[in-house]
Structures are given as C-alpha cells and as structure tokens.
Amino acid sequence: MAKGQTTVSDFAVAPRRSRPEEQSTTQPASESKPAELSTEPPNANQSQEAAPAGTEGDKPVNRLIAPTDEARRERATTRALQREGSRIRLRDLKRARDRESKHYVNCPLGYDTKMRLQKAAIENDVKMTVIMKAAIDQFLKDNGY
C-alpha cells in the first residue's frame, strides 16, 4: 500500500472487552450515574473504618512501612547485618574452594615428551593434565609418599 492511501479502517482492531462491573450490574444506566458523579472519593469512608480502635484516625495503618524512624533504622540495620553475614559466608566458601583446587606446578617438558603426552591425551580422549596428575600420583605412591 502507498503511504497516502492507508486509512485506519485498513487495520483490524479487536473489539473492546466489557468491564466485569458492567456485566454484573443489572441496574439501568440512569440509576448508576449519580454514584459516579459523587464528589466524595469512594474510599474516603473505608480508610477511616478500616483503622482499628485505639489508633489515631488521621494516620493510616500500614504494616509494610515501619511507623517510626527508630523502627526503620532498626530494620535497615538488621538487613545490613544479614547481607554482610551472607557476603562473608560466600567469600569464605570461595576461598575454601580455591584452596582445595588451585595448587599449580609448572615443569618444562622436552618437545618429544610433550608430543607423546599430547598423543596419549588425544588417543585416550582425556586431558593432558589428567594424565600428568595420574603419573605424579603413581610415582609418589610407588616411592612411599
């Protein structure tokens, strides 16, 4: 289609869904209009009634937010200590894992020895390091270490 010839009617548009409130009410539209035109917000009375007796009426009760600065500070401190503890435990686990697995030994090999090691690794489908570890372990066992 050319740019100038495209209109809104060329595109398919899904029909609007009706709201669940409209489906459940059986009153005619003339009776529901006064409730919608009311100047009071619909939740104004509910927030006052929802407040338990013994609390101030002007402060809404919200259990998710701590009401005082002390309580907020205490919660923030508790969370910070928990995060710090988790961070330290994770660091210790990483150090323990590193301590167990990383003890490198470098040794120069001659060209022929390196080629034989590489050929053995390829033919047996194992890594050269595995062969070297096994050879060192066998040598140490044979000599009583």
Side-chain angles (χ1 to χ4, degrees):
M1 280 191 217
K3 189 174 183 181
Q5 297 173 350
T6 306
T7 63
V8 175
S9 61
D10 293 337
F11 297 99
V13 179
R16 288 186 174 230
R17 292 184 187 175
S18 61
R19 294 182 182 160
E21 298 167 2
E22 293 174 1
Q23 292 175 352
S24 63
T25 58
T26 56
Q27 298 176 351
S30 61
E31 291 180 19
S32 63
K33 285 182 183 178
E36 294 174 0
L37 298 176
S38 173
T39 57
E40 262 187 43
N43 294 336
N45 294 334
Q46 292 175 354
S47 64
Q48 290 175 357
E49 293 170 5
T55 61
E56 296 178 20
D58 59 351
K59 288 186 179 179
V61 175
N62 191 349
R63 298 183 201 287
L64 296 177
I65 300 173
T68 64
D69 288 339
E70 266 183 49
R72 286 187 193 118
R73 215 174 300 118
E74 183 180 333
R75 236 167 57 177
T77 304
T78 304
R79 285 183 181 164
L81 289 173
Q82 287 174 346
R83 282 193 302 265
E84 181 71 12
S86 298
R87 188 184 65 79
I88 290 171
R89 282 193 302 275
L90 181 62
R91 183 192 64 199
D92 291 344
L93 283 172
K94 285 181 179 179
R95 282 183 183 169
R97 185 187 64 208
D98 291 346
R99 230 178 283 123
E100 291 174 5
S101 63
K102 294 184 181 178
H103 297 287
Y104 294 104
V105 177
N106 294 330
C107 64
L109 298 176
Y111 181 77
D112 293 334
T113 308
K114 168 74 184 314
M115 288 295 110
R116 288 179 17 222
L117 178 62
Q118 191 172 12
K119 183 179 179 182
I122 291 170
E123 287 178 358
N124 294 306
D125 196 28
V126 293
K127 294 184 176 184
M128 290 189 285
T129 55
V130 173
I131 295 172
M132 292 180 70
K133 285 180 191 177
I136 292 170
D137 190 45
Q138 186 64 40
F139 174 83
L140 292 173
K141 282 182 184 175
D142 290 346
N143 292 310
Y145 294 101

